[in-house]
Amino acid sequence: MSEKNDGANRDATKRSARERLQEEREREKSREKRRRTLLVAAAVVGVLGLAAVVGLIAANAGKDDADKAGPVVAPSGATGKDALAIRTGKDGAKSTLTVWEDFRCPACKAFEDNYRATVHELEAKGLLNVDYHLVTLIDGNMGGSGSLKGANAAACAQDAGKFAEYHDVLFQNQPQETDDAYGKNAKLLELAGKVPGLDTPEFRACVEEGKHNSWVAKSFAAFSAGKFKGTPTVQLNGKDIFADQANPLTPQKLKEQVEAAAKGSGGATPKRSGKPSPSGSASASAASSAPGARGAAGH
C-alpha cells in the first residue's frame, strides 16, 4: 500500500513539475511577446520621430536656401523687361544689339574677341547700344558657380559704373570651360584690379555677399523661357543675326547694318558673301532641354 502511494506521489510530482515547466514556458513566451511588441512600438515611434525631425530640418533648410537667395536686386541702371539688361553705349542710338552671354562660355569669348573693337567703335559714334543679359548656362552643364559669381561681379561693376571695362576683362581672362576659376571670389576681385577705380570696399562687399545673385538667376530664367538655342545669342534690333550659318555674321556686316539703320535705310542685311569670314564663325554654347546637356558646344 505504501509503495503504491509512493509511486502515485512520484507521478504526481513529475506531472506537477512538467506542468510548472510548461506554465513557465508559456509565461516566458508571453513576456517575450510583450517585449517584442514594446520594441516594435518603440521603433515605430522612433522612426516617426526621426521622420518628423528630418522633415523639420529639410523644411528649415529649404527656408534657409530661400533666405540665402534673397530678394532680386537689379544693378544700378538696369533696363528692359524686369530690368534684366545692362546697357552700354550712348543715349539716342538708332540700333540696339541684344547679347545673351555667359562668362564661362568659350563661344561667348570668341564672339567678344572678334566683335569687341567694332562694337566699341559703333558705341563711341553713338550708333549702337548693347543690352547685355547675363546667364549661367555653363554652371548647369559643367557644375560649379563661375557663371553665377562672374555675372554677379559684373553686376557689381555696373553699380560702380565700370561694367563695360570689367565685362571685357572677364572675357579677356576667361579660364578654360572646365576650370571654375570664376567660382572663387578672390579671382574676380583680382581681375577687378585691372579696371582703374573698381576695386573698392563697396565692390568687394557686393561680390562677397552675392548681392545680385537672385537677379542673375532671374535673367537665366528669362533666357530659358525665351527658348534661345544657346550662347551667345545676338540680336540686332530684335532680329537674330548670329545664328544664320548660311549667311554668317562678320564685324563688317554688323557695322554696315548699324550704319544703314542710322541713315534710315532700315539696316537691311548685306548681300551674302561667298566665303564666311573667319571672325564670324565661332561656335555657340548650345542650350538643350535634355538634363545635363545645357552648355554643350553646338554649331
Side-chain angles (χ1 to χ4, degrees), residues 140-226:
N141 183 55
M142 295 290 179
S145 59
S147 302
L148 172 63
K149 291 188 175 182
N152 172 68
C156 294
Q158 169 68 10
D159 288 340
K162 303 284 185 180
F163 171 80
E165 299 95 321
Y166 190 59
H167 165 274
D168 290 352
V169 165
L170 288 180
F171 277 115
Q172 288 165 345
N173 293 272
Q174 185 189 77
Q176 293 294 315
E177 186 178 17
T178 54
D179 180 0
D180 192 33
Y182 286 173
K184 299 178 178 63
N185 288 331
K187 181 64 176 179
L188 297 169
L189 294 172
E190 174 193 327
L191 292 176
K194 295 179 177 290
V195 179
L198 178 58
D199 190 3
T200 64
E202 293 78 14
F203 174 77
R204 284 179 168 264
C206 182
V207 171
E208 294 287 0
E209 293 168 6
K211 179 179 179 180
H212 300 297
N213 283 355
S214 293
W215 176 81
V216 176
K218 189 171 182 179
S219 178
F220 182 57
F223 173 82
S224 300

Side-chain angles (χ1 to χ4, degrees), residues 230-243:
T231 54
T233 290
V234 183
Q235 299 169 320
L236 180 62
N237 299 325
K239 179 182 178 182
D240 192 334
I241 60 172
F242 194 66

Side-chain angles (χ1 to χ4, degrees), residues 272-296:
R272 295 183 179 183
S273 60
K275 296 180 180 180
S277 165
S279 63
S281 59
S283 297
S285 287
S288 170
S289 60
R294 295 180 303 178

Side-chain angles (χ1 to χ4, degrees), residues 44-68:
V44 169
V45 171
V47 169
L48 291 175
L50 179 60
V53 171
V54 171
L56 181 60
I57 292 172
N60 288 335
K63 182 178 178 182
D64 290 343
D65 290 342
D67 292 341
K68 288 176 183 178

Side-chain angles (χ1 to χ4, degrees), residues 1-13:
M1 184 72 173
S2 176
E3 291 180 359
K4 288 183 180 180
N5 288 336
D6 289 344
N9 289 336
R10 283 196 297 271
D11 291 341
T13 300

